[in-house]
C-alpha cells in the first residue's frame, strides 16, 4: 500500500477534519517517534470484539519550511 500524502496545517484544520466524519470514531492514537520526528500510531477498531488493529502512522512535521506556507 503506498503512503497517503495528506497535509493538514494547524490545530484548527486537524480538528475540523477529524470531527467532520465518523470514520475515526473509536480510533486510538499512540505517541511514537518516526525518523526522529514526533508521530502517532493510529489504531482502528477491528472486528466485533472491539480489538484495535494498526491503521496508520501519522508523522508530525514542525519546521520553518512548513510555517512559511
Amino acid at each position: 500500500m503506498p503512503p497517503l500524502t495528506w497535509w493538514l496545517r494547524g490545530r484548527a484544520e486537524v480538528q475540523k477534519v477529524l470531527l467532520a466524519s465518523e470514520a475515526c470514531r473509536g480510533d486510538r492514537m499512540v505517541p511514537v517517534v518516526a525518523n526522529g520526528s514526533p508521530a502517532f500510531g493510529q489504531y482502528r477498531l477491528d472486528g466485533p470484539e472491539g480489538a484495535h488493529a494498526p491503521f496508520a502512522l501519522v508523522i508530525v512535521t514542525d519546521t520553518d519550511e512548513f510555517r512559511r506556507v
Side-chain angles (χ1 to χ4, degrees), residues 26-28 41-47 50-56:
D27 286 9
R28 300 289 183 252
Q42 183 176 359
Y43 293 82
R44 181 144 289 173
L45 281 172
D46 183 40
H52 285 80
F55 176 71

Side-chain angles (χ1 to χ4, degrees), residues 11-64:
R11 175 180 278 184
E13 191 172 339
V14 171
Q15 182 179 28
K16 179 181 171 184
V17 168
L18 293 178
L19 294 176
S21 167
E22 295 290 319
C24 295
R25 182 178 291 283
D27 286 9
R28 300 289 183 252
M29 302 293 277
V30 179
V32 297
V33 175
N35 294 332
S37 295
F40 294 91
Q42 183 176 359
Y43 293 82
R44 181 144 289 173
L45 281 172
D46 183 40
E49 297 170 16
H52 285 80
F55 176 71
L57 179 63
V58 180
I59 301 173
V60 179
T61 304
D62 183 21
T63 66
D64 288 337

